[in-house]
Amino acid sequence: MPPPADIVKVAIEWPGAFPKLMEIDQKKPLSSIIKEVCDGWSLANHDQFALQHADSSNFYITEKVGKSFSTILAESTKIFAQNAQQLHERIQSSSMDAKLEALKDLANYSRDVTFAQEFINLDGISLLTQMVESGTERYQKLQKIMKPCFGDMLSFTLTAFVELMDHGIVSWDTFSVAFIKKIASYVNKFASDISILQRSLAILESMVLNSHDLYQKVAQEITIGQLIPHLQGTDQEIQTYTIAVINALFLKAPDDKRQSNLCDFLIQWHSLQSIFPLQHVIRAQRAINNEMAHQLYVLQVLTFNLLEDRMMTKMDPQDQAQRDIIFELRRIAFDAELEPNNSSGSIEKRKSMYTRDYKKLGFINHVNPAMDFTQTPPGMLALDNMLYFAKHHQDAYIRIVLENSSREDKHECPFGRSSIELTKMLCEILKVGELPSETCNDFHPMFFTHDRSFEEFFCICIQLLNKTWKEMRATSEDFNKVMQVVKEQIMRALTTKPSSLDQFKSKLQNLSYTEILKIRQSERMNQEDFQSRPILELKEKIQPEILELIKQQRLNRLVEGTCFRKLNSRRRQDKFWYCRLSPNHKVLHYGDLEESPQGEVPHDSLQDKLPVADIKAVVTGKDCPHMKEKGALKQNKEVLELAFSILYDSSGQLNFIAPDKHEYCVWTDGLNALLGKDMLSDLTRNDLDTLLSMEIKLRLLDLENIQIPDAPPPIPKEPSNYDFVYDCN
């Protein structure tokens, strides 16, 4: 007979004794369990002991709310308080070896939130900051004779500080300018010491993201130019933290300063290309990890968001400087250097000539083309792109304008109108003006290869539009159709993640209008093949078994489990948690992890569990409790689309933010299946369509080359008599 579900076998160790395999009743209070364990080794004063995980986390085990939490916490706190007090004293030891060992232990124990609370109550944060502010000078005197010891000591000090602050117990606004200066100095002094540099960058990032006052102080101490050299190394962790600090400085900078900061960064970035090729970060042989991909994505979003101001600025038809840009477009296209004399007769002639030229340039308003740029978006950004194209790709610009002006009116591709609509489309594709997502890793390497990447992107696409217009033999009535084809060409090319603008251009060459038609036809055939009535009836018949198959797949994926990232004010790479369903589909096991796992995480290594029977509901998006809290996550549309929560008991909740849309669909489908509800995700619909199509094709293999009628055969008339019926009696 199997043991009850609440009885588990646990291996427990005690220094100097053989480990024991004990049966633990999880219904008992933690104090009773600890007493039983202590009695097994004849240890007195059981209230002075606590259970601790034997894995690398070393986390202490505490009671859950609702199981005599206050009593057990008071008993357990004695252990935490003792350890915190001992470490607080040991890190102040006069012995360098003892201090080093104590700081090493502190860095390890600080990851436990219960221990962290006790150490912080002893004013431990202040002690660490004092050691950083003043103590390091004393250590530096010993650096020449004890360099490894000094580096390890400072590294453990900063690691403990980062771990303690990451629990969110202490406000970041409490730190002095001296501490900030010291941390900023480490970024320059300890470039060769990876651990110190990494922790220092992490602290700077958190300061900037969590406090406006600290942002101003950090911005005074560290410049973009001081950070860029750290991107030249080969350590991807350092590169990731460096870009994270740069992103944080951009995010928190005032609008006017953000523009200049990012421009300075891009200028310095590209000026270093001769000694610092992009392969150090993007084109390296090694794979880019998720955190680096995210930071590059954020940098990409922030770069494009600088265009928002011009995108939302209307043109002032009375502004002569803005009107001069249009005159410059006309001059470059038609080389109009000689103007008629300013006489009453030639004024009319000049107006007529301007109107004719503006019509050739493809503006909607031939008399006053400035009116074409009063719509936002794209506003003045479209005019900026047109001028850039005319100046930096002059031959292509003149060719397009003259080529179209020589065609019949209905067949010309209007350059002005096309540029305005194309700029608007590109802003939509790149989501200009939207906040960066907390979970997205979707960056495009080609945008980091040019300091005017958006303008170059436009130049490639406007030439594509003109080429597609000719291939489609389009007229003015087909304008919207051409724009739809061009958008499809751009989107398909972007999905291949070209590494350079030249590679993007070559991808577009292979996506001609003819190729797009072939792709569309293939997709349409797959959709239309099975729309006859008999096929639809067959689909309806086999759909329940396909849905059951999808349900089993979702539950199997939940059994495998998923690693979720813990999101807070600072994206830390070492904060993960794992959740998986038990094989019998009755319990959800979950717990914290030190790093992203390479495979499945065993059930017994996950500390917490939630019975499926206790789940009351699954909510998504803005209905999730963690999305209702104030903060950046609430404003982020993409994070809202990946958020879901499990509600249990009266107020219990388990909050998730899926790593991507696929995992979101898998988990919401699986949880709904566990609760007996319908699976309504987009992934389920796609899987259902795919599997139904495959199943139909398999069943119809024997009917190849046989025409299936759209309607069933008619029912024959009743016979005149039933004499042919045999009477069995």
Side-chain angles (χ1 to χ4, degrees):
M1 180 178 177
D6 293 311
I7 303 296
V8 294
K9 291 186 177 182
V10 180
I12 302 178
E13 299 177 344
W14 173 250
F18 287 108
K20 290 187 176 182
L21 185 64
M22 304 185 65
E23 287 191 350
I24 301 296
D25 186 351
Q26 298 181 80
K27 290 183 177 180
K28 289 184 178 181
L30 184 58
S31 57
S32 300
I33 296 174
I34 293 175
K35 185 176 184 305
E36 290 180 8
V37 174
C38 291
D39 291 344
W41 275 299
S42 301
L43 299 173
N45 301 322
H46 70 274
D47 59 343
Q48 299 295 315
F49 294 89
L51 294 175
Q52 186 181 30
H53 287 286
D55 57 16
S56 58
S57 68
N58 291 327
F59 288 166
Y60 287 100
I61 297 173
T62 57
E63 282 279 11
K64 290 292 182 185
V65 177
K67 291 179 64 177
S68 57
F69 176 80
S70 58
T71 304
I72 302 304
L73 182 61
E75 294 172 348
S76 300
T77 301
K78 294 180 182 179
I79 310 301
F80 305 137
Q82 288 175 5
N83 286 346
Q85 183 65 47
Q86 291 172 3
L87 281 174
H88 192 274
E89 295 171 357
R90 288 170 56 199
I91 62 176
Q92 301 179 71
S93 171
S94 57
S95 168
M96 297 295 288
D97 290 337
K99 184 188 289 286
L100 178 62
E101 194 64 28
L103 287 170
K104 182 178 180 181
D105 291 341
L106 178 62
N108 188 34
Y109 285 122
S110 295
R111 291 175 295 181
D112 188 293
V113 64
T114 313
F115 170 85
Q117 182 69 68
E118 293 300 322
F119 187 79
I120 291 171
N121 290 342
L122 296 172
D123 211 14
I125 292 288
S126 298
L127 177 59
L128 292 179
T129 54
Q130 289 171 13
M131 292 172 63
V132 172
E133 290 174 15
S134 58
T136 49
E137 280 81 359
R138 182 162 55 88
Y139 299 152
Q140 285 173 338
K141 295 177 182 178
L142 303 173
Q143 186 177 4
K144 292 182 180 179
I145 58 175
M146 302 181 65
K147 188 171 182 179
C149 179
F150 165 73
D152 291 342
M153 188 176 299
L154 183 55
S155 174
F156 289 136
T157 303
L158 296 178
T159 301
F161 177 84
V162 169
E163 294 291 349
L164 290 168
M165 290 302 299
D166 197 53
H167 295 299
I169 301 172
V170 179
S171 170
W172 283 93
D173 290 311
T174 58
F175 298 107
S176 65
V177 176
F179 179 74
I180 297 171
K181 287 185 175 181
K182 188 64 64 176
I183 297 298
S185 70
Y186 294 158
V187 173
N188 299 320
K189 289 182 180 179
F190 295 96
S192 59
D193 193 316
I194 300 299
S195 59
I196 294 176
L197 179 58
Q198 187 183 65
R199 273 70 171 182
S200 300
L201 290 169
I203 292 171
L204 289 177
E205 182 195 1
S206 291
M207 286 179 172
V208 172
L209 291 177
N210 288 281
S211 170
H212 178 69
D213 293 337
L214 288 185
Y215 156 74
Q216 296 177 326
K217 295 173 183 176
V218 171
Q220 293 173 359
E221 299 298 327
I222 198 84
T223 64
I224 302 298
Q226 292 171 311
L227 293 171
I228 286 182
H230 296 306
L231 298 174
Q232 299 182 43
T234 57
D235 189 284
Q236 195 172 109
E237 298 293 319
I238 296 300
Q239 293 173 342
T240 302
Y241 275 100
T242 301
I243 297 179
V245 174
I246 293 171
N247 288 338
L249 288 170
F250 292 155
L251 275 170
K252 295 298 180 179
D255 291 340
D256 54 343
K257 195 170 182 180
R258 186 181 307 163
Q259 180 87 22
S260 61
N261 280 355
L262 195 50
C263 289
D264 290 344
F265 165 73
L266 292 173
I267 291 171
Q268 294 182 63
W269 177 296
H270 293 286
S271 68
L272 287 171
Q273 290 303 298
S274 58
I275 59 174
F276 167 42
L278 276 174
Q279 63 186 9
H280 281 288
V281 177
I282 297 174
R283 297 181 182 172
Q285 295 299 319
R286 66 183 184 276
I288 292 180
N289 61 38
N290 288 337
E291 185 67 17
M292 170 63 86
H294 171 77
Q295 295 300 343
L296 288 170
Y297 153 78
V298 172
L299 182 58
Q300 173 185 293
V301 172
L302 294 177
T303 304
F304 288 138
N305 280 356
L306 294 178
L307 305 169
E308 183 181 12
D309 182 56
R310 294 293 285 174
M311 181 182 74
M312 301 307 295
T313 299
K314 295 181 179 180
M315 185 172 183
D316 182 1
Q318 307 304 318
D319 190 319
Q320 187 59 41
Q322 296 179 0
R323 292 171 63 87
D324 287 343
I325 299 177
I326 299 178
F327 293 151
E328 182 68 7
L329 290 173
R330 174 181 170 273
R331 186 195 67 78
I332 295 173
F334 305 111
D335 197 24
E337 296 178 355
L338 298 176
E339 298 291 344
N341 294 329
N342 189 14
S343 61
S344 59
S346 34
I347 290 177
E348 294 299 324
K349 185 177 180 181
R350 180 188 302 177
K351 287 182 179 180
S352 174
M353 182 174 62
Y354 280 7
T355 300
R356 182 196 65 207
D357 290 347
Y358 291 148
K359 183 176 183 297
K360 290 180 179 179
L361 282 170
F363 291 112
I364 298 175
N365 192 320
H366 306 154
V367 178
N368 186 7
M371 300 303 296
D372 288 13
F373 301 96
T374 55
Q375 179 186 358
T376 58
M380 287 296 293
L381 183 59
L383 188 58
D384 295 342
N385 285 338
M386 293 168 69
L387 183 63
Y388 181 91
F389 180 52
K391 286 189 171 183
H392 293 82
H393 300 270
Q394 194 170 113
D395 291 343
Y397 167 69
I398 294 174
R399 187 185 72 251
I400 288 176
V401 173
L402 296 182
E403 205 175 77
N404 285 290
S405 62
S406 63
R407 293 179 186 156
E408 295 180 30
D409 286 351
K410 67 175 183 177
H411 284 289
E412 68 176 359
C413 176
F415 174 73
R417 182 186 176 190
S418 299
S419 298
I420 293 170
E421 291 300 321
L422 179 64
T423 301
K424 183 178 179 181
M425 178 200 296
L426 298 183
C427 289
E428 292 172 354
I429 291 173
L430 298 177
K431 301 180 180 179
V432 174
E434 293 187 15
L435 289 172
S437 166
E438 291 288 341
T439 58
C440 184
N441 301 330
D442 186 24
F443 79 98
H444 295 279
M446 71 178 191
F447 291 127
F448 293 92
T449 60
H450 201 285
D451 56 346
R452 302 291 294 273
S453 59
F454 183 79
E455 289 86 348
E456 289 293 325
F457 185 44
F458 168 83
C459 293
I460 293 172
C461 294
I462 191 66
Q463 294 177 74
L464 168 71
L465 193 154
N466 189 66
K467 173 175 171 285
T468 303
W469 184 283
K470 289 188 292 184
E471 291 174 348
M472 294 178 65
R473 299 180 181 179
T475 63
S476 54
E477 289 81 8
D478 300 321
F479 186 85
N480 291 333
K481 293 180 182 178
V482 175
M483 295 303 296
Q484 290 173 4
V485 173
V486 170
K487 183 174 184 179
E488 185 174 349
Q489 290 170 314
I490 295 171
M491 294 297 292
R492 290 185 183 275
L494 285 176
T495 55
T496 63
K497 295 295 178 70
S499 59
S500 67
L501 290 165
D502 287 338
Q503 191 176 358
F504 172 70
K505 193 172 182 179
S506 65
K507 296 283 186 185
L508 291 176
Q509 292 293 333
N510 298 327
L511 285 171
S512 63
Y513 176 58
T514 304
E515 185 64 26
I516 292 295
L517 285 180
K518 290 180 181 178
I519 295 173
R520 286 181 173 181
Q521 185 178 6
S522 175
E523 293 175 348
R524 193 182 304 115
M525 286 178 63
N526 288 334
Q527 293 175 357
E528 294 177 353
D529 276 352
F530 307 111
Q531 297 302 316
S532 63
R533 181 177 169 185
I535 302 298
L536 292 176
E537 291 178 355
L538 180 58
K539 279 186 178 181
E540 188 176 344
K541 181 178 180 181
I542 64 178
Q543 181 168 315
E545 60 185 83
I546 298 295
L547 283 173
E548 182 62 27
L549 181 64
I550 295 173
K551 174 183 174 181
Q552 292 304 319
Q553 188 272 339
R554 299 292 191 265
L555 294 177
N556 289 339
R557 278 287 292 107
L558 264 61
V559 171
E560 292 175 9
T562 300
C563 179
F564 297 92
R565 184 183 297 276
K566 284 190 171 182
L567 292 180
N568 50 29
S569 56
R570 183 173 65 83
R571 284 177 59 95
R572 296 268 318 274
Q573 299 181 67
D574 54 349
K575 294 298 178 182
F576 300 92
W577 69 288
Y578 199 89
C579 187
R580 62 179 299 179
L581 182 66
S582 62
N584 62 5
H585 300 173
K586 292 185 177 180
V587 178
L588 283 173
H589 297 266
Y590 60 96
D592 294 337
L593 298 178
E594 286 303 297
E595 58 184 4
S596 181
Q598 299 301 318
E600 292 185 22
V601 177
H603 293 99
D604 52 8
S605 64
L606 301 174
Q607 305 94 346
D608 304 300
K609 66 179 185 178
L610 171 65
V612 173
D614 292 346
I615 298 177
K616 304 299 181 185
V618 175
V619 293
T620 60
K622 61 184 179 181
D623 295 327
C624 298
H626 58 315
M627 291 293 104
K628 295 179 180 178
E629 299 171 0
K630 293 182 179 179
L633 294 181
K634 180 181 177 182
Q635 305 170 5
N636 197 299
K637 180 181 177 182
E638 292 193 37
V639 172
L640 280 174
E641 292 176 350
L642 298 176
F644 62 99
S645 297
I646 295 175
L647 307 182
Y648 60 93
D649 295 337
S650 56
S651 59
Q653 61 193 42
L654 193 59
N655 298 319
F656 300 76
I657 294 181
D660 51 51
K661 191 67 177 178
H662 181 271
E663 288 296 320
Y664 169 84
C665 293
V666 166
W667 274 84
T668 51
D669 283 344
L671 292 171
N672 282 325
L674 285 174
L675 299 179
K677 298 181 179 179
D678 293 335
M679 300 179 292
L680 304 175
S681 73
D682 294 337
L683 183 62
T684 293
R685 284 195 292 271
N686 292 336
D687 287 350
L688 181 61
D689 291 341
T690 301
L691 293 173
L692 273 175
S693 175
M694 291 175 62
E695 182 67 19
I696 292 292
K697 289 178 180 178
L698 288 173
R699 296 196 179 196
L700 297 181
L701 283 177
D702 292 337
L703 297 179
E704 190 173 359
N705 298 324
I706 296 178
Q707 183 67 33
I708 301 176
D710 293 332
I715 300 175
K717 295 181 180 180
E718 291 190 17
S720 58
N721 61 71
Y722 292 88
D723 294 342
F724 59 86
V725 177
Y726 178 75
D727 188 357
C728 296
N729 297 323

